[in-house]
């Protein structure tokens, strides 16, 4: 449906940031229209169907420890959960490193895992307790450094860095030098310590679809690219749309192109290879970490956590590399990580996402201004942290700012 020529608020982009703004403004009674260039809502949370399998555009998970999880109906997403930990491969064997606080029976395996001495393992436990339970302002008040230096200062040893934290965090931060801000690591680790990671039964895109459903189909216009923003008017091929407030909620590069005040951000990329196996080789839903010198940062049987990703009970695997790889480059490595024959792996598809996440180097500038003045607002993960949480939190802040301008009487309650 084409957008109307006038609206009270125009939101450019139906990713989680834009949809988080729109849901709040619609709830406050605003006349909001969301213009989305792509054919689907959810932005970087995108899902395709390939031969009946649910295939996300790049492996990503939802973390119930994110504060903004409160904005979603998690029951309706029908999340399937991963176990809190990972499999570390060393000396030709698979070792479970699982949070014994959550899964007490995993304590003996975790104590035996080759990720450092008992003292170093206690340091990991103390690091997790600090991130999970210190108040956020206290975490953010700590001296900022890189993630690598922060972990070392916490007493995490070389074995744990190389075998556990390195590949585990590389899969989340999409960089393997651990140069990311220690402050972002603290916030991220807090979510892991407090929540569970999972996948919606219909794929990761279901999160955006849930929010878009609250905005209403008549207010979300897919296939409408905004080509310019001038004051409170946006240009599209279908004609201009005038509004009292314009919210640019695109990816950071597009935002920088549309709004000169926004800086482009260095982008992280990832390549995900999807394979099918007749059955899972594992008995619990754990991510398997890549090994030093390998191309993969991790590989995981998605259907162990979320059986809904398979049409027929076969196992669906996702294996991730930071540099673009070809399937033939990683097939043997995938087989080794899961201890299966390479010939049993059926390649389903491969996805490379170049602008997956903006880098979050020190100094972390989260909670960047969202109100640019004159009725123009900007939000997205580049204004907060490079995550689902960051996108939704920036949307929440932006909605509060728009309401302060358009509905001052409501503004306090809507944030
Ligand atoms: C492969 C991958 C793995 C990830 N892993 C995780 C993870 O495990 N956990 C986590 O929390 N986060 C993860 N992330 C990051 C997370 O997905 C993003 O931080 C978040 O989705 C960003 O949301 P956004 O609304 O800010 O931006 P986007 O999702 O990029 O939304 C912007 C929207 O604007 C639209 N748009 C762009 N230009 C225009 C235009 N000119 N006109 C109209 N519309 C336009 C785009 O089509 C898009 O829909 C991952 C991302 C990827 C890609």
């Amino acid at each position: 449906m084409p957008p109307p020529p006038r609206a009270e608020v125009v939101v450019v982009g139906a990713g989680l940031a834009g949809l988080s703004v729109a849901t709040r403004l619609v709830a406050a009674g605003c006349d909001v229209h969301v213009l989305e260039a792509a054919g689907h809502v959810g932005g970087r949370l995108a899902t395709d169907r390939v031969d009946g399998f649910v295939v996300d555009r790049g492996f990503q998970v939802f973390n119930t420890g994110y504060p903004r999880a409160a904005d979603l109906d998690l029951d309706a997403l029908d999340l399937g959960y991963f176990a809190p930990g990972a499999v570390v491969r060393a000396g030709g064997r698979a070792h479970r490193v699982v949070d014994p606080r959550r899964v007490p029976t995993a304590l003996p395996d975790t104590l035996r895992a080759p990720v450092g001495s008992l003292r170093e393992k206690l340091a990991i436990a103390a690091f997790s307790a600090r991130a999970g339970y210190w108040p956020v302002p206290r975490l953010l008040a700590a001296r900022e450094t890189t993630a690598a230096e922060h972990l070392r200062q916490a007493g995490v040893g070389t074995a744990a860095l190389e075998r556990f934290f390195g590949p585990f965090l590389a899969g989340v931060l999409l960089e393997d030098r651990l140069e990311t801000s220690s402050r972002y690591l603290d916030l991220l680790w807090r979510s892991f310590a407090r929540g569970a990671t999972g996948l919606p039964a219909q794929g990761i895109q279901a999160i955006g679809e849930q929010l878009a459903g609250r905005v209403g189909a008549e207010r979300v216009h897919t296939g409408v690219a905004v080509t310019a923003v001038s004051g409170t008017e946006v240009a599209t091929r279908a004609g201009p749309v005038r509004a009292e407030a314009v919210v640019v909620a695109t990816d950071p590069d597009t935002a920088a192109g549309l709004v000169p005040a926004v800086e482009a951000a260095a982008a992280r990329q990832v390549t995900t290879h999807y394979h099918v196996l007749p059955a899972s080789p594992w008995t619990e839903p754990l991510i398997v970490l890549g090994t030093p010198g390998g191309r993969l940062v991790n590989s995981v049987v998605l259907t162990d956590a979320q059986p809904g990703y398979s049409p027929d009970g076969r196992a669906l695997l996702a294996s991730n590399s930071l540099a673009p790889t070809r399937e033939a480059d990683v097939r043997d490595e995938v087989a080794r990580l899961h201890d299966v024959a390479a010939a049993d792996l059926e390649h389903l598809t491969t996805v490379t996402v170049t602008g997956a996440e903006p880098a979050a180097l020190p100094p972390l500038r989260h909670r960047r201004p969202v109100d640019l003045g004159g009725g123009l607002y900007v939000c997205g993960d580049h204004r907060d942290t490079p995550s689902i949480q960051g996108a939704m939190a920036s949307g929440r802040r932006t909605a509060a700012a728009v309401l302060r301008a358009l509905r001052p009487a409501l503004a306090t309650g809507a944030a």
Side-chain angles (χ1 to χ4, degrees):
M1 194 199 305
R6 276 186 186 279
E8 190 178 12
V9 183
V10 165
V11 177
V12 184
L16 293 198
L19 291 170
S20 294
V21 178
T23 52
R24 286 185 164 79
L25 296 185
V26 163
C30 294
D31 172 34
V32 185
H33 285 264
V34 183
L35 312 187
E36 166 54 53
H40 68 93
V41 298
R44 274 169 270 166
L45 267 60
T47 303
D48 298 304
R49 303 271 158 172
V50 183
D51 292 350
F53 288 92
V54 174
V55 173
D56 294 327
R57 260 178 241 163
F59 168 59
Q60 57 181 311
V61 291
F62 180 75
N63 192 322
T64 60
Y66 287 153
R68 297 271 51 82
D71 297 346
L72 295 166
D73 179 350
L74 298 185
D75 287 343
L77 290 174
D78 193 8
L79 292 162
Y81 291 101
F82 291 98
V87 169
V88 165
R89 283 221 165 257
R93 285 190 50 210
H95 306 267
R96 295 163 80 219
V97 180
V98 174
D99 183 354
R101 225 173 17 100
R102 314 271 193 94
V103 189
T105 53
L107 183 63
D109 280 358
T110 302
L111 285 176
R112 277 196 297 267
V115 290
S117 63
L118 181 59
R119 175 199 280 252
E120 288 166 337
K121 285 175 184 147
L122 289 173
I124 298 174
F127 177 76
S128 294
R130 173 188 167 280
Y133 300 105
W134 276 21
V136 169
R138 194 167 164 203
L139 286 175
L140 293 176
R143 190 180 73 84
E144 187 174 20
T145 177
T146 63
E149 198 190 329
H150 191 43
L151 288 165
R152 288 242 181 243
Q153 283 167 353
V156 174
T158 304
L161 271 178
E162 285 183 356
R163 291 182 175 151
F164 180 73
F165 280 102
F168 187 89
L169 290 173
V172 183
L173 305 171
L174 306 184
E175 60 99 356
D176 55 6
R177 294 162 56 171
L178 298 188
E179 61 186 8
T180 295
S181 162
S182 56
R183 293 200 174 142
Y184 181 44
L185 172 59
D186 278 343
L187 295 175
L188 186 70
W189 208 254
R190 183 180 183 80
S191 308
F192 281 116
R194 296 166 81 97
T197 54
L199 296 169
Q202 299 301 314
I204 201 81
Q205 188 174 313
I207 297 175
E209 284 170 354
Q210 183 180 98
L211 293 175
R214 289 184 204 160
V215 178
E218 69 289 0
R219 298 189 171 276
V220 180
H221 309 271
T222 53
V224 179
V226 167
T227 51
V229 175
S230 147
T232 50
E233 180 174 307
V234 303
T236 76
R237 284 204 191 85
V241 184
R242 283 189 199 87
E244 286 174 50
V246 171
V247 177
V248 175
T250 67
D251 55 279
D253 275 2
T254 307
L258 292 173
V259 182
V262 175
E263 299 158 30
R268 306 294 191 196
Q269 64 169 18
V270 63
T271 295
T272 306
H273 301 278
Y274 288 93
H275 289 95
V276 177
L277 277 175
S280 173
W282 303 99
T283 53
E284 65 185 327
L286 273 175
I287 192 162
V288 184
L289 300 182
T291 50
R295 288 186 158 112
L296 296 174
V297 291
N298 59 46
S299 182
V300 58
V301 181
L302 301 170
T303 40
D304 283 348
Q306 183 45 272
Y309 273 35
S310 172
D312 54 14
R314 283 181 296 159
L316 178 65
L317 283 67
S319 307
N320 297 287
S321 69
L322 301 184
T325 45
R326 293 173 310 143
E327 192 270 337
D329 299 334
V330 299
R331 167 177 279 259
D332 288 344
E333 202 175 330
V334 176
R336 268 198 308 279
L337 289 178
H338 295 281
D339 206 7
V340 298
D344 289 344
L345 290 167
E346 184 191 329
H347 181 220
L348 189 65
T349 186
T350 292
V351 184
T352 293
V353 185
T354 49
E357 294 173 3
L361 301 173
L364 182 68
R365 289 171 58 210
H366 73 315
R367 300 184 194 148
R368 291 186 195 203
V370 293
D371 183 349
L372 303 184
L376 182 60
Y377 301 81
V378 62
C379 65
D381 60 351
H382 57 108
R383 307 315 281 178
D384 276 79
T385 56
S387 62
I388 292 170
Q389 161 63 23
M392 294 181 73
S394 79
R396 180 183 194 238
R397 283 198 296 128
T398 307
V402 173
L403 287 175
R404 270 195 299 276
L406 299 185
R407 299 277 196 286
L410 289 177
T412 334

